Amino acid sequence: MTDARGSDGRIGETNARRAPGTPCWVSLMVHGPAAIHDFYGALFGWEFRPGPQQLGPYARALLDGREVAGIGQLPPDRQLPTAWTPYFASDDVNRTADTVRLCGGTVGVGPLDAGEAGRMALGSDPAGAVFGIWQAAAHLGTAVAGVPGTPAWNELLTYETTSVAKFYETVFGFELDPETSAGRDRVTLRLAGRPVAGIQGVGDALPRDRGPHWMTYFEVADTDASVELLVGLGGHVLTPAEDTVHGRVATVADPEGARFTVVRPPR
């Protein structure tokens, strides 16, 4: 993790069209959305209203009336793992999806229209990590950042960074900034010099039931208090809270097993 102040680096409103490649939205597909709405509503203060229904029941999470994330319902006959998925902005989702395929990735859903909101696709990189592509129309993406309850960062956990980083560089135009410290396999993804996401190679430390996957960080006011609340709401702690150069972080899971990280950035 490099910067926990929101994908655009500012605190407050972010409701503007993003440059291609910018992380612009996070979405979660679950089996029981009503219970998950209650969980995240209590944890982050989110409220919910209906969103596009092209992929089934879907709701947008709002913080003080501003959109921050989406939660949809998996088809009842699909026993897929629940996971937070980042969406990256694109000016042409069809062209981006073609590039994904040409670079060895897979497009599993779309491209398709999401009503008047925009156009989207779901893909996976050559190692299997799933991500979204978003071409904005009426819906520009996450409308606020840099406050508790908002996405703060996205980090890809994968086997090794070299080949996967080249994939994202080609598809989204990222600048690659490898970490030079000994013993770490990590690359920061930048746009116009600004850090927007990260890739961390962890080798065999990847969870066997997950494989390579994107991890979403959500900002909180107090990491320890949020973890305590999460456990009381039926969530699980995967990595206990610890202090890092990027703030106090803990990796957790919601009641359906979707993993995410909570972070209180340095003050």
Side-chain angles (χ1 to χ4, degrees):
M1 181 178 172
T2 301
D3 183 353
R5 304 307 296 170
S7 62
D8 70 345
R10 297 194 303 274
I11 299 174
E13 298 286 350
T14 64
N15 203 21
R17 188 171 298 276
R18 271 68 165 194
T22 305
C24 59
W25 189 245
V26 291
S27 191
L28 173 66
M29 301 296 287
V30 300
H31 298 285
I36 293 298
H37 289 179
D38 290 343
F39 171 84
Y40 286 103
L43 183 63
F44 292 140
W46 291 351
E47 298 177 339
F48 295 87
R49 71 178 179 201
Q53 307 293 304
Q54 276 70 19
L55 297 180
Y58 190 82
R60 290 179 182 158
L62 285 74
L63 182 68
D64 297 327
R66 294 170 291 182
E67 297 172 343
V68 294
I71 296 179
Q73 184 171 359
L74 288 165
D77 58 341
R78 300 288 298 277
Q79 295 302 312
L80 299 172
T82 60
W84 281 101
T85 300
Y87 280 71
F88 299 95
S90 171
D91 286 341
D92 185 333
V93 69
N94 292 64
R95 184 175 66 238
T96 303
D98 287 342
T99 306
V100 167
R101 297 186 187 98
L102 287 171
C103 293
T106 301
V107 177
V109 176
L112 55 83
D113 290 325
E116 298 179 352
R119 190 164 170 79
M120 58 82 67
L122 283 172
S124 56
D125 65 31
V130 175
F131 60 90
I133 308 165
W134 183 251
Q135 181 180 337
H139 176 63
L140 299 177
T142 302
V144 62
V147 296
T150 62
W153 185 253
N154 292 286
E155 185 97 356
L156 173 61
L157 303 179
T158 189
Y159 298 113
E160 55 82 26
T161 63
T162 303
S163 59
V164 174
K166 289 293 185 183
F167 168 86
Y168 287 98
E169 178 187 33
T170 304
V171 172
F172 292 112
F174 295 128
E175 304 145 16
L176 306 183
D177 182 10
E179 188 167 309
T180 57
S181 61
R184 291 204 70 187
D185 180 16
R186 193 179 181 284
V187 175
T188 299
L189 304 178
R190 297 178 179 268
L191 288 174
R194 177 172 52 88
V196 295
I199 302 176
Q200 186 173 350
V202 297
D204 294 336
L206 274 172
R208 291 187 178 182
D209 61 335
R210 292 283 164 165
H213 61 281
W214 282 93
M215 174 75 73
T216 297
Y217 287 65
F218 291 98
E219 182 166 337
V220 294
D222 184 319
T223 301
D224 296 88
S226 295
V227 169
E228 183 178 357
L229 175 59
L230 173 140
V231 172
L233 294 168
H236 308 280
V237 178
L238 304 177
T239 303
E242 62 178 345
D243 291 317
T244 73
V245 295
H246 308 297
R248 189 159 177 81
V249 303
T251 301
V252 296
D254 68 24
E256 287 204 15
R259 302 167 187 235
F260 59 99
T261 296
V262 291
V263 55
R264 178 186 58 75
R267 296 293 190 255

